[in-house]
Amino acid sequence: MDAIAYPVGENLYLNITNRCSNQCPFCVRYKSRGFNQKYLLWLEQEPTVEELMAAIGEKPSKYKEIVFCGYGEPTIRLDVVKAIAAELKSKIQISKSKQCINIRIDTNGLANLFWGRNILPELKGLIDFVSVSLNAESSEVYDKICHSFYGQKAYPAVVEFIKEAKKYIPDVEASIVDMPTVDKEKCASIAADLGVKFRVRPYYEERYVR
Ligand code: SF4
């Protein structure tokens, strides 16, 4: 069965689409139908808000974070992201729980190009933490490793997205995948100049479902 919500450690990950505006050769979508030897992530059908809320369950506050993540790019289903985040925030208010739910989105940072508008103000108060895949130190390197539908427009848009995210989302991170073709020091320095956290993501291929 498709995994639309799956736990990893203390967090719950939501898988809402297979679609993405990039075609990174290292992406799990091109390597496997799943992750971590047990979750089948390829969706035969994109889940509805109701299906996702049912999969999250009655006690979302038991998770440290609820994360909109892969298989594909979650902001392609922006309305679903906003609806789920709003429901989770209101659920916790109604239950008067002192525990807060931290809601994170892992994104390629291309949503403003995809939607043709700045979507970040729409995430204010809904998303607590955004992790943006910076992926490279320059447009040239980004293009080589991400093969974006947007070509040379993509990398400057990702950098702009990170800058804009800082205005609306409390916690912002720029990340790269640990690959020899990427200059980690230069990427760390770009993140520092942007005033955001920096993370090097391990390459997880050994955990994919074969
Ligand atoms: S941006 Fe993420 S989801 Fe999209 S192709 Fe690259 S790794 Fe896969």
Side-chain angles (χ1 to χ4, degrees):
M1 203 174 108
D2 305 341
I4 59 172
Y6 57 98
V8 178
E10 295 175 287
N11 299 341
L12 185 73
Y13 286 75
L14 303 181
N15 175 28
I16 64 175
T17 185
N18 299 329
R19 294 179 284 158
C20 185
S21 49
N22 279 356
Q23 305 163 90
C24 313
F26 57 83
C27 180
V28 63
R29 294 183 310 145
Y30 302 120
K31 306 273 182 187
S32 158
R33 299 250 142 175
F35 176 72
N36 228 359
Q37 309 292 337
K38 51 182 170 179
Y39 302 115
L40 288 173
L41 299 184
W42 182 262
L43 300 167
E44 293 304 329
Q45 210 174 341
E46 292 185 332
T48 62
V49 170
E50 292 71 29
E51 287 166 341
L52 285 157
M53 286 309 297
I56 291 166
E58 283 309 304
K59 291 192 178 154
S61 56
K62 71 181 179 190
Y63 300 106
K64 193 171 165 200
E65 273 187 319
I66 294 194
V67 187
F68 294 96
C69 185
Y71 222 23
E73 166 53 38
T75 59
I76 282 182
R77 298 195 73 204
L78 185 61
D79 286 350
V80 170
V81 169
K82 291 194 294 186
I84 298 274
E87 274 211 46
L88 289 171
K89 295 279 180 197
S90 78
K91 245 183 186 223
I92 214 80
Q93 259 178 357
I94 290 163
S95 72
K96 295 197 170 72
S97 167
K98 291 210 172 30
Q99 226 176 331
C100 62
I101 305 175
N102 211 43
I103 303 179
R104 184 175 103 205
I105 187 161
D106 290 353
T107 176
N108 64 15
L110 294 170
N112 289 353
L113 279 184
F114 182 85
W115 288 103
R117 65 176 194 271
N118 181 8
I119 60 112
L120 284 153
E122 300 167 40
L123 301 181
K124 189 177 177 181
L126 298 176
I127 301 294
D128 305 294
F129 182 9
V130 62
S131 180
V132 185
S133 300
L134 178 68
N135 276 351
E137 67 276 17
S138 65
S139 273
E140 291 67 35
V141 178
Y142 188 90
D143 199 38
K144 275 187 197 142
I145 64 173
C146 295
H147 306 284
S148 180
F149 295 164
Y150 301 110
Q152 294 290 325
K153 280 189 191 163
Y155 187 73
V158 172
V159 172
E160 196 50 42
F161 189 88
I162 294 171
K163 283 186 197 161
E164 201 60 25
K166 285 173 60 191
K167 297 181 193 165
Y168 302 101
I169 297 177
D171 227 347
V172 182
E173 170 186 273
S175 76
I176 61 169
V177 175
D178 193 1
M179 292 191 299
T181 44
V182 177
D183 187 327
K184 292 190 198 71
E185 279 180 24
K186 274 195 190 159
C187 291
S189 159
I190 291 167
D193 289 347
L194 290 168
V196 297
K197 293 177 188 164
F198 178 65
R199 185 164 66 95
V200 179
R201 287 151 32 223
Y203 186 46
Y204 275 135
E205 192 163 353
E206 73 282 2
R207 293 197 198 170
Y208 298 162
V209 175
R210 301 281 168 197

